[in-house]
Amino acid sequence: MLLQIKQILVLSVSVTAAVFPSPHHVYHRDSLNLRFEQQPDNIMPFTLPIHASNSTERAQAIAQKRSGFLYGPSIMGNSSFFPTGPFGTAMVQRDIAQFSVDEGNEKALVASDLLAITSALTTQGAFQSVSDYTLLYQNEWKKSIPTGVDAGQLTNYTNDLLFSMERLSVNPYTLRRLVPEKDSLSFMVSPDAVLKITGTTLESLFQDDRLFYVDHRIQATLAKTERHSAACEAYFYVSPDSDDFLPLAVKTGVGSNLIYTPLDHPNDWLLAKIMFNINDIAHSQAYHLISTHAVCEILYEAAIRTLSDDHPVLGLLARLMYQSFAFRPAGVATLTNPGGAIDTFLGISGTGFEDFANTLYYALGAGAFRSNYLCTNLQSRGLLNNRRGPPLKRFPFYEDASRIHLQLEVFMTSFVDSYYANSAVLEADTELQAWFTEANTAAQAIDFPTAPVANVGTLVDILSHFAFLTGVSHHVLNTGEPATSSAVLPFHPGSLYAPIPTQKGVKDLFPFLPPLNDSLGWINLWADFNRPDFANSNLTLSNMFSNATFLAKTNRKVEAAAGIFKSEMQSFSAEVRGRGFDREGLSQGMPFVWKILDPETVPYFLTI
């Protein structure tokens, strides 16, 4: 057993070395230079084209970029284009060089932790029951996951409220309220069971706008690995008695297509929730790839090809897109590649994952820009400002995300106003209008505003959402979140290790869960995604705009706004870090303490 555990460490280190060799050049972390030869101490202020004194040279520089920064084929699936051409390739190489330093640092922390847990496990004895999974976390992973897993994830995972509230926190992008006028019931549940669980009927819940639904059935169509996964759909409901948000039923979507409810034997019901979580982690990772990386990258690529390096909007996007072109190459090399992490741990294969991402991008709305604005998206799914049904009593994701989004809007309003005094200035910005045209034509972005854009509020919305994607939405699903919550064992494995039951009556859940070495590999994978060294550094969300090089090229109004944003984020961070359980054993209405959107912990950029 000890040899096998050490092999996990050797594989982890060797993969990184193969994909991210030591860079030949060291790039300054704070550099925003799109022209690689420009030095940070040679700073020229951002200007709009109508104020430029070198219009001819500026236009020639943009033309040169367009000839050298090209749209290449998509990678890690078939979604948005990926940069090619001499300038595009140089930017990719630069980003990989920067990323490899951070990834190497995290790999070293994980390696140290893995050796420590190897030593500890040799004295622990047999690993043979569900309760033994806590041994994999208690007093372990102190360097790579120094905050530990979210309080409650190891002790309260059988609590139905934890399962349901994860739909409103760790993955808030799958749930929707069913609306009688346009929806129908996908499956029926025993009327007696519904009455015992809810005190009413399924139809009454439906008609009263108290019924919610998650649909993972598409995963039944994806290429599989040798392990097992279902294709679940599930009902959740707002209780007529307590207004708590609770689970009602899970249908597996495969095999005998069993329907499970909280009235089933605890082993059967817990297995049903685990099967759902397996689908949910696959969705969250594919969705994050598409809705943040693919969307932001293509808009940034279009901006590079149309905006001068001296344009304030490109300067801002460059700040937000630090390392951005490293992540999809990393994913191709280590995640979706044959024998990579997805083939190793998930129920769907790397090929299936890429096909899933493609479908999310084009057919299921994840690649759209405006329709995924925070409130627009939540309202479209009946989770916010619903006119008929009861509001959600607690919505942790929205509670945290809206606090940050508001401050992003405040900053972006100051940023935009400082350059665009009125709509006439905006309309006269030929470069910015060219960006809108390029995004909707050659770049083939989805649901992006079309030229001419004359409302400065539209630009504020665009930039606010862009920053929200890089600094908030991404980290809700990725970075350190899986390591601390949505991938924590035994409740959140990547696949089942025994066939999905064809009938109820499971006696022991242990055979369905990953064995020891696979469990360590699963934790290792998500620890690699974490970035504990970024906490309290100049790379956090609090410092999204507080960068000396960036601010030196802006103006006093932007500098003041950056200071206000940082102060607000630091205040919110203190609030998040101070969270714990209340007298009812809950935090934000959940039986676990969720802290992922701590602005002094999460990065301001996409990371991995």
Side-chain angles (χ1 to χ4, degrees), residues 455-467:
N455 189 331
V456 293
T458 300
L459 183 57
V460 170
D461 290 342
I462 291 170
L463 298 179
S464 297
H465 184 56
F466 196 103

Side-chain angles (χ1 to χ4, degrees), residues 296-312:
C296 290
E297 284 178 32
I298 194 59
L299 295 176
Y300 184 37
E301 292 170 48
I304 291 171
R305 286 174 48 84
T306 53
L307 302 179
S308 165
D309 290 2
D310 296 324
H311 197 289

Side-chain angles (χ1 to χ4, degrees), residues 418-474:
S418 74
Y419 290 101
Y420 300 95
N422 51 55
S423 60
V425 179
L426 180 62
E427 288 184 273
D429 188 339
T430 54
E431 293 176 11
L432 196 68
Q433 299 298 335
W435 178 40
F436 299 132
T437 299
E438 176 86 5
N440 283 285
T441 54
Q444 298 180 21
I446 301 173
D447 192 29
F448 195 65
T450 57
V453 172
N455 189 331
V456 293
T458 300
L459 183 57
V460 170
D461 290 342
I462 291 170
L463 298 179
S464 297
H465 184 56
F466 196 103
F468 182 81
L469 292 177
T470 69
V472 181
S473 184
H474 178 278

Side-chain angles (χ1 to χ4, degrees), residues 507-572:
K507 302 299 182 183
D508 185 7
L509 291 179
F510 188 73
F512 293 91
L513 299 173
L516 178 57
N517 286 283
D518 287 55
S519 295
L520 290 174
W522 180 247
I523 299 171
N524 187 138
L525 170 67
W526 298 113
D528 282 345
F529 280 54
N530 198 22
R531 292 292 183 267
D533 286 350
F534 289 2
N536 306 310
S537 77
N538 62 354
L539 297 176
T540 63
L541 178 60
S542 294
N543 289 284
M544 177 175 269
F545 312 112
S546 294
N547 171 269
T549 304
F550 168 68
L551 291 177
K553 293 172 69 68
T554 61
N555 52 63
R556 291 182 179 179
K557 188 171 184 177
V558 174
E559 186 173 357
I564 292 172
F565 179 84
K566 181 174 182 177
S567 177
E568 291 290 337
M569 290 299 97
Q570 289 176 329
S571 177
F572 182 50

Side-chain angles (χ1 to χ4, degrees), residues 62-112:
I62 294 174
Q64 185 178 13
K65 282 199 300 179
R66 290 182 66 85
S67 67
F69 189 101
L70 307 175
Y71 299 119
S74 179
I75 64 173
M76 206 175 180
N78 182 27
S79 57
S80 61
F81 298 126
F82 194 74
T84 188
F87 183 47
T89 300
M91 288 193 69
V92 172
Q93 292 175 341
R94 180 200 65 179
D95 287 357
I96 289 176
Q98 294 169 335
F99 171 76
S100 67
V101 175
D102 294 328
E103 180 69 356
N105 291 339
E106 182 62 16
K107 289 284 187 183
L109 298 178
V110 174
S112 177

